[in-house]
Amino acid sequence: MNFDLQELSGTFSVADVVAAMALSFVLSTVIGYVYRYTHRNVSYSQSYVQTLVIVGMIVALIMLVVGSNLARAFSLVGALSVVRFRNAVKETRDVGFIFLAMAIGMACGARFYTLAAVGAVVICAVVVIMHKFDWFALNVQRQVVKVQVPAGEDCTPGIRDVLIKYTTEFELVSTETIRGGALNEVFYTVRMKKGTEPGELVTALQERTSGQRVTVLTGYDTTDL
């Protein structure tokens, strides 16, 4: 019995379809587990990891549909161009995992099974190694200081004096008005001196800002806000 399926894109067997879909599922699942293992921030999303698996399988299916037919490829590009995604990607590494899942799906759909398997294993191994040995880490912890001051008062000199006392370096990021112009909200990035507690900095700043609200965000560079 002949199980070959004749399409405009060429001839492929049911075994090819099963192999492409199954391998893309297995490799995309491995990518999902690697992502979960190496994820550090608090914004972990189960839905995102499931999407990686789905994307890998869908791209493999698209490659089977397209085959070597250029007209069909351009038709699919036109159809997919109407899709708009509103969700913001919080980390650049998330984009990398999406591209990895797509590349594995393309390789499986093109029936380059060895390439897909080797590529997934090698890249996932690199990701795990970078996570394990903390490559390219910058061991400099900075804080964000948010200070609210009355709009009619110039508290900048007092704030600077406090920051000089409690921090090794600081930089003004932005200034904006809030509450209809009644208050100014000033943002600084700082490096606190060793042994200095955030509470001490908050108390000292409130003394210079007439008791207005002061917020210190610690570890903002490794935590999603």
Side-chain angles (χ1 to χ4, degrees), residues 8-27:
L8 292 175
S9 57
T11 302
F12 51 85
S13 64
V14 173
D16 290 331
V17 178
V18 172
M21 298 301 292
L23 186 60
S24 64
F25 169 76
V26 171
L27 296 179

Side-chain angles (χ1 to χ4, degrees), residues 48-106:
Y48 172 79
V49 180
Q50 292 175 349
T51 301
L52 290 178
V53 179
I54 296 171
V55 166
M57 298 182 68
I58 291 176
V59 172
L61 180 61
I62 291 175
M63 290 299 297
L64 288 172
V65 171
V66 172
S68 58
N69 191 292
L70 291 179
R72 187 170 299 181
F74 283 113
S75 299
L76 281 172
V77 170
L80 294 175
S81 65
V82 302
V83 179
R84 296 291 184 270
F85 298 98
R86 299 296 182 182
N87 292 342
V89 178
K90 291 189 176 182
E91 289 190 53
T92 52
R93 72 188 298 272
D94 291 356
V95 179
F97 275 94
I98 292 174
F99 277 111
L100 176 57
M102 292 177 62
I104 296 304
M106 291 177 65

Side-chain angles (χ1 to χ4, degrees), residues 34-187:
V34 169
Y35 175 84
R36 188 182 71 171
Y37 174 74
T38 58
H39 189 82
R40 290 184 174 179
N41 295 341
V42 298
S43 62
Y44 176 81
S45 172
Q46 180 185 13
S47 175
Y48 172 79
V49 180
Q50 292 175 349
T51 301
L52 290 178
V53 179
I54 296 171
V55 166
M57 298 182 68
I58 291 176
V59 172
L61 180 61
I62 291 175
M63 290 299 297
L64 288 172
V65 171
V66 172
S68 58
N69 191 292
L70 291 179
R72 187 170 299 181
F74 283 113
S75 299
L76 281 172
V77 170
L80 294 175
S81 65
V82 302
V83 179
R84 296 291 184 270
F85 298 98
R86 299 296 182 182
N87 292 342
V89 178
K90 291 189 176 182
E91 289 190 53
T92 52
R93 72 188 298 272
D94 291 356
V95 179
F97 275 94
I98 292 174
F99 277 111
L100 176 57
M102 292 177 62
I104 296 304
M106 291 177 65
C108 292
R111 285 165 278 182
F112 297 140
Y113 304 131
T114 302
L115 175 62
V118 173
V121 170
V122 171
I123 296 176
C124 287
V126 170
V127 173
V128 171
I129 290 172
M130 287 194 296
H131 171 79
K132 197 72 174 178
F133 294 97
D134 205 17
W135 284 10
F136 312 115
L138 182 62
N139 295 320
V140 176
Q141 188 178 41
R142 298 179 67 88
Q143 291 80 29
V144 171
V145 177
K146 181 172 65 175
V147 184
Q148 294 180 357
V149 298
E153 300 180 16
D154 185 11
C155 300
T156 303
I159 294 175
R160 289 181 178 273
D161 291 341
V162 173
L163 294 179
I164 291 173
K165 180 179 178 181
Y166 289 95
T167 69
T168 57
E169 62 180 75
F170 62 90
E171 180 180 0
L172 177 64
V173 177
S174 67
T175 303
E176 60 182 83
T177 59
I178 59 174
R179 298 184 184 178
L183 295 175
N184 291 333
E185 195 167 56
V186 186
F187 289 83

Side-chain angles (χ1 to χ4, degrees), residues 192-214:
M192 297 179 62
K193 294 181 179 179
K194 291 183 178 180
T196 301
E197 295 294 331
E200 299 176 8
L201 178 60
V202 170
T203 302
L205 286 172
Q206 285 182 329
E207 293 176 355
R208 301 297 183 95
T209 59
S210 304
Q212 296 295 333
R213 183 178 180 181
V214 177

